[in-house]
Amino acid sequence: MKSRGNGKISILSPLRLPFRHIGVQANLTRGLAQTKRFSIYDQLPQRSRNFFDGRQLTDANKIQREEIVMGKLDGKKVAILVTDGFEQVEMTKPREALEGAGAETKIVSPKSGQIQGMNHADKGDKFDVDIPLDEAQPEEFDALMIPGGLMNPDELRATPDALEFTKHFFREGKPVAAICHAPWVLIDAGVVRGRKLTSWEHIQTDVKNAGGNWVNQEVVVDNGLVTSRKPDDIPAFNKKMIEEFCEGKHTVQKQFAGAGLET
């Protein structure tokens, strides 16, 4: 309230009070461009800011999480071994994570042209094959990722070239990541005996019969071999996959290259 000389009392609107009386800084005239410098986005390194250009930056924690892995796999080349009938999210999400961390990925398949993704029992999208399997040189890759799905690994394990391609990574100690039904490929490649791993629960007997130590965990890491059970495990799978791929070759991985199948 304010007293006038005529004895009358007037009431000031809160909007006319000096800002210091209501706890707000007086200078609110700065434009959006000026206030941006206080955001987490503008405090990131220039490389990170470029990476996020064009994205809606609403989750600061997400930005920080992604920043942790960015650049870790710069210069790394990862083969994604896959054919028709793969669980789509088990290819696309790990691929996004790998490329977000700086890796170059290539879809390698026994088929040429395109391959069919699946959303459980329903058809999903089709994806271009980057390198037909008969033209792929495993020596050019630093790591291998195999998506799951029911039909995809069942077809791959019946393809000798796919098994030989997989064996190369174990013989050279290169890291390998496999999710869901993908350990079927590892079983027929003869690289499971003596390894600790997980998979889709329904194929645990196959893993055990092949000499593997099956455990029910969202992600298992065993000297360069990363495995997970299902799509719900993808965040944990991606994190450990990037860590192992970043570390490069694992000498212990070579010891299991010729372990063979359970007899």
Side-chain angles (χ1 to χ4, degrees), residues 33-207:
Q34 291 176 291
T35 58
K36 271 188 175 181
R37 67 175 179 270
F38 297 105
S39 73
I40 184 171
Y41 172 81
D42 288 281
Q43 295 179 26
L44 292 173
Q46 182 64 45
R47 183 174 184 277
S48 303
R49 296 202 297 272
N50 292 341
F51 181 81
F52 289 105
D53 279 351
R55 299 189 182 185
Q56 186 175 1
L57 304 176
T58 58
D59 184 349
N61 290 329
K62 179 181 178 182
I63 296 172
Q64 290 174 322
R65 289 196 299 271
E66 292 191 15
E67 174 64 11
I68 290 173
V69 300
M70 282 174 54
K72 270 193 169 186
L73 297 180
D74 283 352
K76 299 281 188 179
K77 191 172 181 180
V78 179
I80 300 175
L81 183 60
V82 65
T83 191
D84 285 330
F86 63 96
E87 186 66 32
Q88 184 164 312
V89 71
E90 293 177 354
M91 190 278 283
T92 57
K93 291 301 182 181
R95 190 181 199 186
E96 289 173 6
L98 289 167
E99 293 182 347
E104 177 186 1
T105 66
K106 296 292 183 182
I107 291 179
V108 177
S109 177
K111 288 191 62 180
S112 58
Q114 293 187 319
I115 50 176
Q116 178 68 59
M118 299 292 292
N119 296 317
H120 302 300
D122 300 321
K123 284 187 176 182
D125 300 319
K126 289 188 175 182
F127 295 82
D128 293 331
V129 173
D130 295 310
I131 308 175
L133 182 59
D134 59 4
E135 299 177 12
Q137 301 296 321
E139 298 84 5
E140 297 179 358
F141 295 95
D142 300 290
L144 173 66
M145 196 276 284
I146 310 177
L150 182 61
M151 294 175 282
N152 165 58
D154 194 40
E155 181 67 25
L156 290 175
R157 67 176 178 166
T159 305
D161 286 348
L163 299 181
E164 186 58 34
F165 188 84
T166 300
K167 290 177 184 179
H168 162 85
F169 292 87
F170 287 85
R171 285 197 300 262
E172 298 300 317
K174 298 177 182 179
V176 175
I179 187 170
C180 194
H181 286 76
W184 265 346
V185 181
L186 306 184
I187 290 171
D188 281 81
V191 295
V192 166
R193 178 183 287 276
R195 307 306 299 269
K196 181 180 179 181
L197 69 159
T198 192
S199 68
W200 181 249
E201 185 178 6
H202 295 174
I203 70 168
Q204 62 174 293
T205 300
D206 297 338
V207 172

